[in-house]
Amino acid sequence: MSWKKDEDSDDLGALMNLDHSVVLQEARVFNETPIRPRQSRLLLAKIVFLLYRGDPMSTTEATNLFFSITKLFQCKDMSLRQMVYLTIKELSTISEDVIMVTSSLMKDMQPTSEITYRANAIRALCKIVDPSMLPGIERFLKAAIVEKSATIASSSLVSSLHLFNEAKEVVRRWGNEVSEALNGKSLSQGSSSFFGGSSSQGQVVSTSNIVQYHAIGLLYAIRQHDRMAVLKLVQAFSGQQGKGSSGWMMGGGGSGSALRSNAAHVMLIRYAVRVMEGDGSLAPQLHGLLEEWIRHRSDMVSLEAARAVCQLRDVTDKQLTAAVNALQLFLSSPKAVVRFAAIRTLNALARTHPEAVQPCNVDMEGLITDGNRSVATFAITTLLKTGNEASVERLMKQMQGFMAEISDEFKIIVAEAVRSLCGKFPGKHALFLGFLSGVLRDEGGYEFKRAAIEAIVGLAKHVAECREVALGHLCEFIEDCEFTKLSVRVLHFLGEEGPATARPTVYIRHIYNRVVLENAVVRAAAVSALAKFGAAPSADAALLRSVRVLLARCLDDRDDEVRDRAAWGLRMTGAAEQTRSRYVRDDSAFLLPVLERRLVEYCADPRAKGARFDFGAVPRISRAQEEEARHRVRLDAMDHVLTGSALSPPPAAAAAAAAGGAKDDVPKGGAAAAAAAAVAAADETDRLARYARQLAAIPELAALGEQPLVSSQRAVELTEPETEYVVRCVKHVYERHIVFQFDVANTIAEQVLEQVEVAMESDDAGGALLPVVAMAIPVLRYDAPGTAYVAFERLTEDAATAASFACTLRFIVKECDPATGEPEDGDNGFGDDYSLEAVDLGPGDFMLPTYIPASDALWESLAESESVETFALSSFSGIEECVSKVADLLNMCPLDNALAPRSKAAHKAAFTGKWLGRAKTVARTRMAYQKGAGVTMELAVRSEDPAVSELVVSAIA
């Protein structure tokens, strides 16, 4: 039979070329008597296909169609009724008065109805019901949850999960029924009947146990904010609860609590990990559970447990042993999907813990020839991360053999793996450059070519021996590059690195070719690169003259951007050395998100008309920080795509943890710390702007007439996470005031708190702080955090840079109904106090961490304001621990490799910041470590305000 005849004779072929108006005209068949089931079913399929395809349908058309379809309830045909339910669900979001069909659906939900009727009616009804009407059908849904039929139970559980976002309090009342369904007390071995027959008739037995999977998801949604309840749920199904324990909050418990669904086991593992992330004290106990689940008989459960262990925060190599051993066994599985899952997890783990993955190298080498190219690609890239220098060349040759056979997504993984190897084995630069230049000549998309270009750029920056060869490959690439962005990137890099080479004229020729042959965007980038050659300190008179001639030719370009850049380049190449250094070779850059936001605010502010934009208020970062931060974003995006979440670095790499990178993924010289500083600077500025908007919206604080100059980088925890009341404090420093923001959460469902406030008592004996504002939280309900504020006025400009405050939480307690959150009638409550940890105020709270360009020149210019002190810090066991603590106390921006000491015996670090967001300050430390004596540190601080230097030094004292 020919394909054309097959297509014409198949009902599905009629759906491929549907006309919207024709389908609406055919809908008249729904009004005919008698009802024609087959024709009506096919027409309903066409309507659903149009909706899925995204064809627009007006409200009037949808409403008329909806009520025409409801007439089909008169027909008892099973297949037609299923299509009616589906179509009603899809039309309910765009139709009006859909609630009119409730009576028909309620009739099909009766226990005497067919199983298929009941299950589909529940789904359709929960889709169209209004939350206010939910109490009316609550009895039916609770009965359906514990129904013996798995089909009905699953439909009601999934529908309840969808309703939870709209009616949380109602669904929370169904906890006992959900727990019963989870324990399987009412289910007849997961039996179901999809096609005809009542619940009492013969049924098709299902072994999927899908009801448990849906029930555990709903039970977690009900109790996700109660950490102890989630912990008990995990323990109940892990065999750690006593056999006599029970209660829906624990998920049942007792000897009958057993998960037969592998999918439910997977969800339980994820819930256990979330509990561990929320409370570190439970990590040892739950880590033992994960190791037990790694030995589960199901591959799905074992893989999920191993993956969870590999993604734990601060996991050690010892804790990874069981997970890696299990993944190693899965590498030899006959199932391709199991091999893929195992090698993908090991590939992601190798970025942060390569030593832990090395025992699997022999097994991974056997996967290089795997028939599944995705598995083979992951195997090679993982071996590149964990192997030694001797095996790199062999692996690279094998990888070249199938680069043309894999997708761009995996080519990007290969390029990123090669980039990490460039910093790990710089002696193999010729091999890496040959491979990368070869893949640039192959066919590929933008993302793949960009990854290869970034790998070559990274290699050229950090391996001086191959710089000129790498620049040559890049010049060859832009001669035939189809991507404008990549051409601009390469031209920019040529302008940065080309002037320092032995023969800069070679690159000038390639750059000027872009001026002649390319589009306006590339021409503009080429002109800027030429200007950098002419402004370089190494440019001799002949080179400068040649560059100026080329720039003069660009003045006649047809694009105004190119002409403007050419005129600017001519001006700069003829300017003094100091001017060229400031405008052409500046090593800093604005934080672009902050600059954009400030410009938008400037243009929208009517008071700013006629005033100059203040560029000094926009923070800056170094070019290295900017580049490493972008690289970190790309790696995080790749981690999210490949593993579903980013992995945590090992605890030994504290500096890399701040940047989110692994030690082999970033170049040497503190690039991880550079990325961390860039991210921290952007986060700090965004945080300050967010807090400023939040505080300005409060009339009592807006009346202070000031904007916050510095806000805490992180909130201070004043209570333990598992206590009944959780309180965190954020400090905001104004010009003349200090505002303490207390975020309070009530974790007791049976209580509602009123007039919640924080009483603060300062140890400031001089009375330099005067309380002026105390804002209470009117009502604090369960699972609804609130914020209280306390503000002090600084009576003198230098007052209270160091103080401690005793804090007490005061409130009125009233008993309430957990289902509604409303206090009981006639309950006046009683007052209560709750002690909190003390809040300390130090010099670091007045410092805004800011990257300051040319900090060396600033240091020399502030010699007269220097304050120096030497400290004997015997409590520290190493330099890395000491420099991390000093950075926290100073609250300043680390420069270069300040947070990544290369030596265990001695270290130098530099920090910059602005006191109250204005006075530029530079701090330098010299540290020496001696076993038994601790760390000896010299701290020198210079600031534009001489008094600030002494205050910053006092932060350590």
Side-chain angles (χ1 to χ4, degrees), residues 56-117:
M57 186 176 293
S58 67
T59 303
T60 303
E61 292 175 340
T63 303
N64 294 334
L65 195 58
F66 182 89
F67 285 103
S68 297
I69 293 173
T70 58
K71 298 178 181 179
L72 299 179
F73 276 102
Q74 302 172 14
C75 181
K76 299 299 183 181
D77 184 88
M78 185 72 67
S79 300
L80 175 60
R81 183 66 64 88
Q82 288 181 308
M83 284 302 303
V84 169
Y85 290 130
L86 177 61
T87 311
I88 285 177
K89 285 173 57 181
E90 298 303 324
L91 288 175
S92 63
T93 57
I94 53 178
S95 303
E96 294 179 344
D97 300 326
V98 295
I99 207 69
M100 301 296 291
V101 78
T102 303
S103 58
S104 299
L105 296 175
M106 291 284 290
K107 181 180 178 182
D108 288 346
M109 285 175 56
Q110 300 300 321
T112 56
S113 301
E114 298 284 348
I115 289 179
T116 307
Y117 283 4

Side-chain angles (χ1 to χ4, degrees), residues 145 149-151 153-154 157 181-182 187 209-216:
I145 288 175
S149 168
T151 304
S154 288
L157 287 168
L182 179 60
L187 299 178
N209 299 301
I210 197 65
V211 173
Q212 284 192 323
Y213 171 63
H214 293 151
I216 199 171

